[in-house]
């Protein structure tokens, strides 16, 4: 397996302002936004799959992917004759999530236009987002699983994660945990390594299932019971 490394459009002596404008320009096309949103589920997609979700021709998709790759927004993994695309990092996912929040706030109508199933539960790259995730985060703060600013697990929080079976990475280069602004709920859900560990646990236990090709996740009946028990919730 080989990664295709991005070759940035900007030259080393370019100003920060120009570099920022190039990234913003790469995101500005609706088709490229559709591609990036699809990749927000944290999985790798083929160009054919991305062309279908964006509703554009394969040849057009190739051009869009080249633009995203050159600006460091996606990476490409080659495996044999196949190429798979994914977001370049969780930082890019955070950028997109924040941009979604800004876009939602730009609307004059206060009524949320996000589909109900996505507002309820979805993936945000490698962690859980939506109403369920926001309620879990609120519970963790109230029960002091998290430090007051949400940037670290408390000793009690680490113990609860261990008891649940959520495996934390002690050598992770990313933050152990962090508050991630949920663009549909306008409140925080759990990000960082702890958020990733929680999503992995929920999937492994079969408490949530993914909808193929979408960010939506479904809470199973056993998951509803387990989440209600673990986080003192009342999912119906």
């Amino acid at each position: 397996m080989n990664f295709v490394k991005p070759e940035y459009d900007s030259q080393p002596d370019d100003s920060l302002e120009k570099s920022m404008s190039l990234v913003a320009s790469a995101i500005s096309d609706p088709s490229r936004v559709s591609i990036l949103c699809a990749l927000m589920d944290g999985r790798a997609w083929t160009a054919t799959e991305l062309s279908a979700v964006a509703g554009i021709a394969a040849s057009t998709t190739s051009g869009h992917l080249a633009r995203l790759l050159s600006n460091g927004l996606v990476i490409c993994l080659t495996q044999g004759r196949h190429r798979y695309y994914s977001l370049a990092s969780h930082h890019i996912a955070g950028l997109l999530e924040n941009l979604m929040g800004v876009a939602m706030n730009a609307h004059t109508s206060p009524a949320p236009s996000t589909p109900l199933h996505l507002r309820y539960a979805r993936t945000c790259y490698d962690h859980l987002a939506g109403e369920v995730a926001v309620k879990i985060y609120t519970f963790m703060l109230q029960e002091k699983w998290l430090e007051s600013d949400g940037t670290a697990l408390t000793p009690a929080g680490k113990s609860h994660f261990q008891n649940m079976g959520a495996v934390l990475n002690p050598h992770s280069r990313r933050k152990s945990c962090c508050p991630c602004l949920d663009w549909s709920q306008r409140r925080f859900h759990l990000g960082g390594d702890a958020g990733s560990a929680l999503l992995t646990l929920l999937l492994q236990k079969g408490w949530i299932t993914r909808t193929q090709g979408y960010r939506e996740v479904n809470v199973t009946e056993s998951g509803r019971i387990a989440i209600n028990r673990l986080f003192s919730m009342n999912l119906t």
Side-chain angles (χ1 to χ4, degrees), residues 133-156:
V134 166
K135 288 182 176 179
I136 291 175
Y137 183 82
T138 300
F139 168 84
M140 289 183 175
L141 276 178
Q142 291 174 343
E143 296 301 313
K144 295 183 170 43
W145 290 26
L146 303 172
E147 298 291 349
S148 59
D149 60 1
T151 58
L153 288 169
T154 63

Side-chain angles (χ1 to χ4, degrees), residues 2 15 26 39 48 61 66 83 92 124-125 127 132 146 154 164 177 200 217 219 227:
N2 297 300
S15 66
L39 295 176
T48 300
T61 303
R83 287 190 166 198
I92 303 301
C124 175
Y125 191 56
H127 55 269
V132 175
L146 303 172
T154 63
M164 287 192 300
C177 68
T200 299
V217 298
V219 179
I227 291 172

Side-chain angles (χ1 to χ4, degrees), residues 195-209:
S196 176
L198 178 61
L199 176 63
T200 299
L201 173 69
L202 296 175
L203 288 168
Q204 289 177 343
K205 292 285 189 179
W207 292 342
I208 63 172
T209 58

